[in-house]
Amino acid sequence: TERSLFCVNTDKTACSAGSCGIEIPLLRYSFRRGPMLYLTNDSLDPAWNQAFEEYVFDHVTEDDVLLIWRNAPAVVCGRFQNVFAEVSVPEAGHRGIPVIRRPSGGGTVYHDLGNVNYTIIRNGSPYDRDYASFIAPVTETLRSLGIPADLSGESDIAVDGLKVSGSAQRAAHGRVMHHATLLYSSDLDALRTLTRGRRAWFTTKGTASKPAPVTNMRDHMASPFASADDFLHAFTDALTQRLGAHHGALPGEAGGDIARLAREKYASWDWTYGKSPAFTYSRSAEWGKNWPGQRTVPVVRVAYGAKNGVILDASFSPGCPVLTEQLIGQKLDLDTIARVLSECGIDSTFLPFLF
């Protein structure tokens, strides 16, 4: 049976471990030390890469596994998060950057080609949540490359006191998957903009991210690598050697299964947005434009409730019965909401105020 890393708060609702402030014993993982496979994945597609990782976790069960991979720009959220509260959805849409929900807990992260991800999967009994044993060979490898990296807190890596890596875990069927980011030369402005979140406007039981000051490892090296590609290759060579991993390959039929999982799950609205916990949203929007039935309105008050990413009720002040009626039952999808606004004669610049 899968044992996700969560506790139960006084409302009897699931939350990320520790986010409710309740002390609970740590789950403990015991690892069988054995052969380790390194499986190459050169894809940069975020949905494919998430599906590749899940396929390996579920089907490659005889050996421990190492994956090292990168995504094209993407925002990746934790399994139990409210995407709408954690991500600037309109800005991601404007930039054409996909939002992906992963199957592990934790907070929201930003990926691009300046960030390298690693995944370590081990067989074992899920009785110990031990981030340190997964992270130790990574920090040792980074230090061997001239990066002064250290474990920070339970599950982060820091350089000179600034975060360069956050990690999350999933345990199921006697397997433990640990995956993490490594910021080498990432676009930190994009990271901050897209993962800033809008939590002040939301009431939700979703796991909240815990933002921390971040930096790129490149900026703390006496002799930086010429590119993120060079860092990727050096890190891969050094970590596979340190872990004694040998190259392996998936069976030929795996590609079709991974493509189907990527398409039907990780690229789907239902998984990424529809799995968001129920929430209410309320804010005042400085408008200063025409409003249905009125002339210029300086401020519009917006409030609605949603479940599974679908609007259940809505209200506006000044009132707008036509908009209220048309929003109820609609998915919180940028194109869908933009169409509703257009049909109601409301300027498209109102769209960000609904997310």
Side-chain angles (χ1 to χ4, degrees):
T1 302
E2 179 167 338
R3 298 182 63 183
S4 297
L5 305 181
F6 64 87
C7 57
V8 176
N9 65 23
T10 53
D11 293 323
K12 307 296 184 186
T13 52
C15 66
S16 170
S19 67
C20 61
I22 295 175
E23 293 251 352
I24 59 172
L26 293 179
L27 295 173
R28 301 286 177 190
Y29 294 153
S30 175
F31 301 125
R32 174 186 62 77
R33 301 296 181 183
M36 175 170 278
L37 290 176
Y38 170 62
L39 298 176
T40 302
N41 176 17
D42 293 326
S43 168
L44 301 177
D45 180 84
W48 170 276
N49 289 342
Q50 205 67 71
F52 184 95
E53 185 183 61
E54 179 172 323
Y55 181 92
V56 171
F57 183 68
D58 288 341
H59 293 89
V60 183
T61 58
E62 296 301 316
D63 301 295
D64 297 342
V65 180
L66 171 66
L67 309 174
I68 300 174
W69 48 285
R70 288 190 296 175
N71 277 334
V75 182
V76 182
C77 300
R79 173 67 180 84
F80 305 107
Q81 292 199 287
N82 183 332
V83 170
F84 303 101
E86 300 298 326
V87 181
S88 178
V89 173
E91 183 63 24
H94 174 71
R95 298 186 185 204
I97 293 176
V99 179
I100 303 289
R101 184 184 296 275
R102 64 178 182 269
S104 62
T108 297
V109 294
Y110 173 72
H111 291 184
D112 62 14
L113 297 184
N115 169 73
V116 173
N117 306 294
Y118 71 89
T119 304
I120 298 174
I121 301 170
R122 289 173 171 165
N123 292 334
S125 301
Y127 71 85
D128 189 9
R129 187 176 71 173
D130 179 14
Y131 281 90
S133 71
F134 285 97
I135 293 174
V138 176
T139 55
E140 292 166 2
T141 298
L142 293 174
R143 286 196 291 270
S144 76
L145 297 175
I147 300 168
D150 291 294
L151 176 67
S152 176
E154 181 189 18
S155 58
D156 294 342
I157 297 174
V159 172
D160 295 334
L162 297 172
K163 183 175 177 178
V164 297
S165 173
S167 58
Q169 294 184 353
R170 177 189 174 199
H173 316 303
R175 298 282 276 170
V176 181
M177 177 174 68
H178 172 102
H179 48 196
T181 54
L182 290 169
L183 298 173
Y184 181 73
S185 58
S186 193
D187 184 341
L188 299 185
D189 288 337
L191 181 155
R192 296 183 185 104
T193 298
L194 293 167
T195 66
R196 181 177 296 133
R198 297 157 182 243
R199 289 175 286 276
W201 301 325
F202 290 81
T203 301
T204 180
K205 294 186 181 297
T207 302
S209 297
K210 298 177 181 178
V214 296
T215 190
N216 280 315
M217 293 182 290
R218 177 188 62 185
D219 298 334
H220 300 262
M221 298 179 67
S223 300
F225 294 97
S227 67
D229 285 349
D230 289 344
F231 166 72
L232 170 66
H233 297 317
F235 175 74
T236 299
D237 290 344
L239 186 59
T240 53
Q241 181 176 359
R242 185 174 297 274
L243 293 175
H246 61 281
H247 285 261
L250 294 178
E253 65 270 18
D257 293 336
I258 294 169
R260 183 165 49 255
L261 184 61
R263 180 178 65 254
E264 296 178 358
K265 182 176 182 179
Y266 290 108
S268 74
W269 184 95
D270 287 344
W271 168 255
T272 294
Y273 295 95
K275 292 293 184 181
S276 291
F279 66 90
T280 58
Y281 173 91
S282 179
R283 69 171 293 188
S284 293
E286 295 184 5
W287 184 228
K289 296 183 180 181
N290 290 342
W291 190 246
Q294 303 189 40
R295 294 188 176 182
T296 302
V297 174
V299 176
V300 176
R301 177 77 176 177
V302 180
Y304 64 83
K307 184 177 181 180
N308 299 325
V310 176
I311 297 175
L312 301 179
D313 56 73
S315 65
F316 298 90
S317 179
C320 185
V322 63
L323 179 58
T324 298
E325 180 180 349
Q326 291 206 37
L327 281 178
I328 293 174
Q330 299 288 355
K331 288 182 176 181
L332 279 163
D333 167 77
L334 288 171
D335 291 340
T336 299
I337 302 304
R339 175 182 54 77
V340 169
L341 292 177
S342 177
E343 291 173 353
C344 294
I346 298 174
D347 192 280
S348 61
T349 55
F350 193 72
L351 181 65
F353 296 124
L354 292 171
F355 287 86

